Tab-separated table of all heavy atoms in Angstrom:
chain	number	residue	atom	x	y	z
A	10	ILE	N	52.797	-41.855	-10.626
A	10	ILE	CA	54.121	-41.800	-11.240
A	10	ILE	C	54.060	-42.622	-12.516
A	10	ILE	O	53.365	-43.637	-12.582
A	10	ILE	CB	55.229	-42.310	-10.289
A	10	ILE	CG1	56.600	-42.051	-10.888
A	10	ILE	CG2	55.020	-43.752	-9.903
A	10	ILE	CD1	57.741	-42.213	-9.911
A	11	THR	N	54.768	-42.157	-13.530
A	11	THR	CA	54.775	-42.887	-14.795
A	11	THR	C	56.205	-43.202	-15.202
A	11	THR	O	57.125	-42.439	-14.923
A	11	THR	CB	54.106	-42.076	-15.923
A	11	THR	OG1	54.836	-40.873	-16.135
A	11	THR	CG2	52.665	-41.758	-15.594
A	12	ASN	N	56.367	-44.325	-15.846
A	12	ASN	CA	57.630	-44.729	-16.464
A	12	ASN	C	57.288	-45.051	-17.903
A	12	ASN	O	56.331	-45.774	-18.159
A	12	ASN	CB	58.216	-45.968	-15.790
A	12	ASN	CG	58.503	-45.750	-14.326
A	12	ASN	OD1	58.472	-44.637	-13.837
A	12	ASN	ND2	58.762	-46.830	-13.616
A	13	ASP	N	58.052	-44.535	-18.836
A	13	ASP	CA	57.698	-44.761	-20.221
A	13	ASP	C	58.771	-45.508	-20.985
A	13	ASP	O	59.899	-45.645	-20.543
A	13	ASP	CB	57.375	-43.444	-20.915
A	13	ASP	CG	58.611	-42.585	-21.164
A	13	ASP	OD1	59.626	-42.793	-20.486
A	13	ASP	OD2	58.544	-41.713	-22.031
A	14	SER	N	58.332	-46.003	-22.106
A	14	SER	CA	59.229	-46.573	-23.104
A	14	SER	C	58.704	-46.062	-24.448
A	14	SER	O	57.796	-45.237	-24.486
A	14	SER	CB	59.226	-48.106	-23.028
A	14	SER	OG	57.948	-48.603	-23.361
A	15	ALA	N	59.216	-46.555	-25.517
A	15	ALA	CA	58.828	-46.029	-26.828
A	15	ALA	C	57.332	-46.186	-27.112
A	15	ALA	O	56.692	-45.266	-27.593
A	15	ALA	CB	59.652	-46.704	-27.913
A	16	GLU	N	56.781	-47.343	-26.810
A	16	GLU	CA	55.386	-47.594	-27.177
A	16	GLU	C	54.436	-47.706	-25.992
A	16	GLU	O	53.261	-47.387	-26.116
A	16	GLU	CB	55.311	-48.863	-28.021
A	16	GLU	CG	56.008	-48.721	-29.361
A	16	GLU	CD	55.924	-49.975	-30.193
A	16	GLU	OE1	55.026	-50.801	-29.934
A	16	GLU	OE2	56.765	-50.142	-31.090
A	17	TYR	N	54.924	-48.170	-24.859
A	17	TYR	CA	54.076	-48.362	-23.688
A	17	TYR	C	54.791	-47.858	-22.441
A	17	TYR	O	56.001	-47.719	-22.415
A	17	TYR	CB	53.721	-49.848	-23.508
A	17	TYR	CG	52.781	-50.343	-24.569
A	17	TYR	CD1	53.264	-50.903	-25.742
A	17	TYR	CD2	51.401	-50.216	-24.406
A	17	TYR	CE1	52.403	-51.337	-26.735
A	17	TYR	CE2	50.538	-50.648	-25.396
A	17	TYR	CZ	51.038	-51.205	-26.557
A	17	TYR	OH	50.176	-51.623	-27.539
A	18	GLY	N	54.005	-47.613	-21.414
A	18	GLY	CA	54.556	-47.194	-20.138
A	18	GLY	C	53.778	-47.821	-19.003
A	18	GLY	O	52.747	-48.452	-19.209
A	19	ILE	N	54.295	-47.637	-17.819
A	19	ILE	CA	53.610	-48.115	-16.618
A	19	ILE	C	53.216	-46.896	-15.799
A	19	ILE	O	54.045	-46.044	-15.490
A	19	ILE	CB	54.499	-49.048	-15.785
A	19	ILE	CG1	54.880	-50.288	-16.598
A	19	ILE	CG2	53.783	-49.449	-14.488
A	19	ILE	CD1	55.873	-51.190	-15.911
A	20	VAL	N	51.937	-46.831	-15.471
A	20	VAL	CA	51.407	-45.793	-14.607
A	20	VAL	C	51.158	-46.447	-13.259
A	20	VAL	O	50.435	-47.438	-13.169
A	20	VAL	CB	50.086	-45.210	-15.162
A	20	VAL	CG1	49.515	-44.166	-14.211
A	20	VAL	CG2	50.283	-44.645	-16.556
A	21	ARG	N	51.789	-45.913	-12.220
A	21	ARG	CA	51.588	-46.444	-10.875
A	21	ARG	C	50.782	-45.432	-10.076
A	21	ARG	O	51.120	-44.245	-10.047
A	21	ARG	CB	52.928	-46.720	-10.212
A	21	ARG	CG	53.661	-47.870	-10.880
A	21	ARG	CD	54.910	-48.278	-10.107
A	21	ARG	NE	55.437	-49.506	-10.632
A	21	ARG	CZ	56.431	-49.592	-11.503
A	21	ARG	NH1	57.021	-48.510	-11.940
A	21	ARG	NH2	56.842	-50.769	-11.934
A	22	LEU	N	49.708	-45.902	-9.450
A	22	LEU	CA	48.795	-45.033	-8.721
A	22	LEU	C	48.547	-45.532	-7.309
A	22	LEU	O	48.395	-46.740	-7.089
A	22	LEU	CB	47.430	-44.958	-9.413
A	22	LEU	CG	47.351	-44.451	-10.839
A	22	LEU	CD1	45.915	-44.583	-11.358
A	22	LEU	CD2	47.815	-43.021	-10.925
A	23	LEU	N	48.466	-44.596	-6.386
A	23	LEU	CA	47.914	-44.854	-5.063
A	23	LEU	C	46.599	-44.088	-5.036
A	23	LEU	O	46.577	-42.882	-5.316
A	23	LEU	CB	48.848	-44.349	-3.961
A	23	LEU	CG	50.264	-44.910	-3.951
A	23	LEU	CD1	51.052	-44.321	-2.786
A	23	LEU	CD2	50.264	-46.425	-3.886
A	24	VAL	N	45.526	-44.778	-4.754
A	24	VAL	CA	44.193	-44.173	-4.771
A	24	VAL	C	43.466	-44.468	-3.467
A	24	VAL	O	43.886	-45.330	-2.685
A	24	VAL	CB	43.359	-44.684	-5.970
A	24	VAL	CG1	44.000	-44.299	-7.293
A	24	VAL	CG2	43.165	-46.183	-5.911
A	25	ASP	N	42.347	-43.781	-3.264
A	25	ASP	CA	41.613	-43.954	-2.009
A	25	ASP	C	40.851	-45.273	-1.928
A	25	ASP	O	40.635	-45.780	-0.837
A	25	ASP	CB	40.692	-42.767	-1.736
A	25	ASP	CG	39.645	-42.538	-2.806
A	25	ASP	OD1	39.755	-43.105	-3.911
A	25	ASP	OD2	38.715	-41.753	-2.545
A	26	GLU	N	40.461	-45.851	-3.042
A	26	GLU	CA	39.735	-47.130	-3.049
A	26	GLU	C	40.353	-48.044	-4.103
A	26	GLU	O	39.872	-48.126	-5.230
A	26	GLU	CB	38.255	-46.909	-3.345
A	26	GLU	CG	37.514	-46.093	-2.301
A	26	GLU	CD	36.057	-45.915	-2.654
A	26	GLU	OE1	35.357	-46.944	-2.833
A	26	GLU	OE2	35.623	-44.756	-2.786
A	27	THR	N	41.397	-48.729	-3.711
A	27	THR	CA	42.179	-49.526	-4.658
A	27	THR	C	41.351	-50.589	-5.369
A	27	THR	O	41.409	-50.709	-6.594
A	27	THR	CB	43.375	-50.183	-3.942
A	27	THR	OG1	44.124	-49.170	-3.276
A	27	THR	CG2	44.270	-50.920	-4.919
A	28	GLU	N	40.590	-51.351	-4.622
A	28	GLU	CA	39.833	-52.451	-5.215
A	28	GLU	C	38.818	-51.949	-6.241
A	28	GLU	O	38.699	-52.500	-7.339
A	28	GLU	CB	39.120	-53.243	-4.115
A	28	GLU	CG	38.469	-54.518	-4.606
A	28	GLU	CD	37.885	-55.333	-3.469
A	28	GLU	OE1	38.585	-55.554	-2.464
A	28	GLU	OE2	36.721	-55.741	-3.604
A	29	ARG	N	38.102	-50.888	-5.897
A	29	ARG	CA	37.100	-50.338	-6.820
A	29	ARG	C	37.770	-49.745	-8.060
A	29	ARG	O	37.313	-49.951	-9.186
A	29	ARG	CB	36.248	-49.286	-6.114
A	29	ARG	CG	35.046	-48.842	-6.948
A	29	ARG	CD	34.014	-48.116	-6.110
A	29	ARG	NE	34.418	-46.805	-5.689
A	29	ARG	CZ	34.169	-45.678	-6.372
A	29	ARG	NH1	33.523	-45.724	-7.526
A	29	ARG	NH2	34.558	-44.517	-5.894
A	30	ALA	N	38.874	-49.030	-7.877
A	30	ALA	CA	39.599	-48.441	-9.009
A	30	ALA	C	40.140	-49.535	-9.922
A	30	ALA	O	40.047	-49.430	-11.157
A	30	ALA	CB	40.729	-47.551	-8.504
A	31	PHE	N	40.693	-50.579	-9.339
A	31	PHE	CA	41.234	-51.689	-10.122
A	31	PHE	C	40.146	-52.323	-10.986
A	31	PHE	O	40.329	-52.520	-12.187
A	31	PHE	CB	41.856	-52.728	-9.187
A	31	PHE	CG	42.323	-53.973	-9.881
A	31	PHE	CD1	43.467	-53.959	-10.669
A	31	PHE	CD2	41.625	-55.157	-9.750
A	31	PHE	CE1	43.903	-55.105	-11.315
A	31	PHE	CE2	42.055	-56.306	-10.390
A	31	PHE	CZ	43.195	-56.281	-11.173
A	32	LYS	N	39.010	-52.622	-10.380
A	32	LYS	CA	37.892	-53.232	-11.126
A	32	LYS	C	37.420	-52.304	-12.236
A	32	LYS	O	37.184	-52.753	-13.369
A	32	LYS	CB	36.748	-53.573	-10.181
A	32	LYS	CG	35.583	-54.257	-10.874
A	32	LYS	CD	34.505	-54.665	-9.919
A	32	LYS	CE	33.319	-55.371	-10.532
A	32	LYS	NZ	33.130	-55.355	-11.926
A	33	LEU	N	37.296	-51.042	-11.950
A	33	LEU	CA	36.852	-50.066	-12.937
A	33	LEU	C	37.820	-50.008	-14.122
A	33	LEU	O	37.404	-50.024	-15.288
A	33	LEU	CB	36.738	-48.688	-12.277
A	33	LEU	CG	36.298	-47.538	-13.157
A	33	LEU	CD1	34.844	-47.700	-13.579
A	33	LEU	CD2	36.487	-46.225	-12.413
A	34	LEU	N	39.099	-49.945	-13.838
A	34	LEU	CA	40.100	-49.908	-14.903
A	34	LEU	C	40.071	-51.179	-15.739
A	34	LEU	O	40.078	-51.122	-16.974
A	34	LEU	CB	41.492	-49.669	-14.304
A	34	LEU	CG	41.723	-48.262	-13.737
A	34	LEU	CD1	42.908	-48.261	-12.775
A	34	LEU	CD2	41.933	-47.262	-14.873
A	35	LYS	N	40.038	-52.335	-15.085
A	35	LYS	CA	39.979	-53.623	-15.806
A	35	LYS	C	38.726	-53.694	-16.675
A	35	LYS	O	38.802	-54.107	-17.837
A	35	LYS	CB	39.990	-54.797	-14.825
A	35	LYS	CG	41.273	-54.999	-14.065
A	35	LYS	CD	42.301	-55.788	-14.801
A	35	LYS	CE	41.938	-57.236	-14.860
A	35	LYS	NZ	42.980	-58.047	-15.494
A	36	ASP	N	37.578	-53.297	-16.103
A	36	ASP	CA	36.313	-53.345	-16.844
A	36	ASP	C	36.308	-52.412	-18.049
A	36	ASP	O	35.508	-52.582	-18.963
A	36	ASP	CB	35.130	-53.000	-15.926
A	36	ASP	CG	34.844	-54.093	-14.906
A	36	ASP	OD1	35.414	-55.201	-15.013
A	36	ASP	OD2	34.047	-53.828	-13.976
A	37	ASN	N	37.192	-51.422	-18.050
A	37	ASN	CA	37.282	-50.483	-19.161
A	37	ASN	C	38.473	-50.766	-20.075
A	37	ASN	O	38.920	-49.892	-20.820
A	37	ASN	CB	37.329	-49.049	-18.626
A	37	ASN	CG	35.946	-48.568	-18.237
A	37	ASN	OD1	35.218	-48.058	-19.072
A	37	ASN	ND2	35.559	-48.779	-16.984
A	38	GLY	N	38.993	-51.989	-19.996
A	38	GLY	CA	39.987	-52.439	-20.956
A	38	GLY	C	41.435	-52.164	-20.625
A	38	GLY	O	42.309	-52.435	-21.440
A	39	PHE	N	41.706	-51.646	-19.442
A	39	PHE	CA	43.100	-51.392	-19.077
A	39	PHE	C	43.738	-52.658	-18.519
A	39	PHE	O	43.108	-53.409	-17.772
A	39	PHE	CB	43.193	-50.269	-18.040
A	39	PHE	CG	42.881	-48.915	-18.595
A	39	PHE	CD1	41.603	-48.389	-18.480
A	39	PHE	CD2	43.860	-48.176	-19.247
A	39	PHE	CE1	41.302	-47.143	-19.002
A	39	PHE	CE2	43.560	-46.928	-19.771
A	39	PHE	CZ	42.280	-46.412	-19.647
A	40	ILE	N	44.970	-52.891	-18.881
A	40	ILE	CA	45.747	-54.001	-18.342
A	40	ILE	C	46.417	-53.469	-17.081
A	40	ILE	O	47.219	-52.540	-17.137
A	40	ILE	CB	46.800	-54.501	-19.347
A	40	ILE	CG1	46.116	-54.997	-20.622
A	40	ILE	CG2	47.673	-55.582	-18.719
A	40	ILE	CD1	47.072	-55.241	-21.773
A	41	CYS	N	46.051	-54.045	-15.942
A	41	CYS	CA	46.609	-53.529	-14.691
A	41	CYS	C	46.707	-54.638	-13.646
A	41	CYS	O	46.140	-55.715	-13.811
A	41	CYS	CB	45.784	-52.357	-14.172
A	41	CYS	SG	44.022	-52.622	-14.052
A	42	LYS	N	47.435	-54.333	-12.605
A	42	LYS	CA	47.565	-55.270	-11.492
A	42	LYS	C	47.709	-54.466	-10.205
A	42	LYS	O	48.080	-53.296	-10.214
A	42	LYS	CB	48.743	-56.217	-11.678
A	42	LYS	CG	50.091	-55.563	-11.520
A	42	LYS	CD	51.209	-56.593	-11.594
A	42	LYS	CE	52.535	-55.934	-11.265
A	42	LYS	NZ	53.596	-56.901	-11.094
A	43	VAL	N	47.411	-55.118	-9.108
A	43	VAL	CA	47.573	-54.527	-7.785
A	43	VAL	C	48.767	-55.192	-7.130
A	43	VAL	O	48.923	-56.412	-7.191
A	43	VAL	CB	46.311	-54.718	-6.913
A	43	VAL	CG1	46.537	-54.243	-5.497
A	43	VAL	CG2	45.117	-54.001	-7.530
A	44	SER	N	49.622	-54.387	-6.532
A	44	SER	CA	50.760	-54.940	-5.809
A	44	SER	C	50.922	-54.204	-4.484
A	44	SER	O	50.452	-53.075	-4.322
A	44	SER	CB	52.040	-54.853	-6.642
A	44	SER	OG	52.278	-53.539	-7.054
A	45	ARG	N	51.587	-54.861	-3.583
A	45	ARG	CA	51.844	-54.272	-2.276
A	45	ARG	C	53.138	-53.478	-2.318
A	45	ARG	O	54.129	-53.935	-2.894
A	45	ARG	CB	51.938	-55.361	-1.218
A	45	ARG	CG	50.624	-56.057	-1.007
A	45	ARG	CD	50.751	-57.169	-0.005
A	45	ARG	NE	49.436	-57.715	0.258
A	45	ARG	CZ	49.223	-58.856	0.863
A	45	ARG	NH1	50.249	-59.568	1.287
A	45	ARG	NH2	48.003	-59.282	1.073
A	46	VAL	N	53.088	-52.302	-1.721
A	46	VAL	CA	54.277	-51.466	-1.585
A	46	VAL	C	54.362	-51.006	-0.136
A	46	VAL	O	53.406	-51.129	0.631
A	46	VAL	CB	54.255	-50.254	-2.554
A	46	VAL	CG1	54.383	-50.711	-3.998
A	46	VAL	CG2	53.012	-49.408	-2.365
A	47	ILE	N	55.497	-50.484	0.213
A	47	ILE	CA	55.748	-50.039	1.584
A	47	ILE	C	55.852	-48.524	1.588
A	47	ILE	O	56.601	-47.952	0.787
A	47	ILE	CB	57.053	-50.662	2.120
A	47	ILE	CG1	56.976	-52.190	2.057
A	47	ILE	CG2	57.343	-50.176	3.538
A	47	ILE	CD1	58.320	-52.864	2.205
A	48	GLY	N	55.113	-47.884	2.460
A	48	GLY	CA	55.199	-46.439	2.633
A	48	GLY	C	56.018	-46.135	3.876
A	48	GLY	O	55.641	-46.505	4.983
A	49	VAL	N	57.158	-45.475	3.691
A	49	VAL	CA	58.077	-45.176	4.793
A	49	VAL	C	58.161	-43.665	4.972
A	49	VAL	O	58.529	-42.952	4.028
A	49	VAL	CB	59.500	-45.724	4.503
A	49	VAL	CG1	60.419	-45.480	5.684
A	49	VAL	CG2	59.458	-47.189	4.133
A	50	LYS	N	57.818	-43.186	6.155
A	50	LYS	CA	57.956	-41.757	6.434
A	50	LYS	C	59.424	-41.437	6.658
A	50	LYS	O	60.124	-42.160	7.368
A	50	LYS	CB	57.146	-41.371	7.669
A	50	LYS	CG	55.654	-41.453	7.443
A	50	LYS	CD	54.898	-40.956	8.654
A	50	LYS	CE	53.406	-41.025	8.408
A	50	LYS	NZ	52.648	-40.467	9.524
A	51	ILE	N	59.877	-40.360	6.004
A	51	ILE	CA	61.257	-39.924	6.176
A	51	ILE	C	61.258	-38.439	6.553
A	51	ILE	O	60.331	-37.718	6.200
A	51	ILE	CB	62.121	-40.185	4.917
A	51	ILE	CG1	61.530	-39.528	3.672
A	51	ILE	CG2	62.304	-41.678	4.694
A	51	ILE	CD1	62.380	-39.658	2.420
């Protein structure tokens, strides 16, 4: 999911290997963070 503004946006991703994806993104110059979210079945 993405949220945008005029110049920058936030891309939020759920991936199969969070730690590896995070390291890969950081190592390639992306500013990112990992946060905990709750998945609720409805």
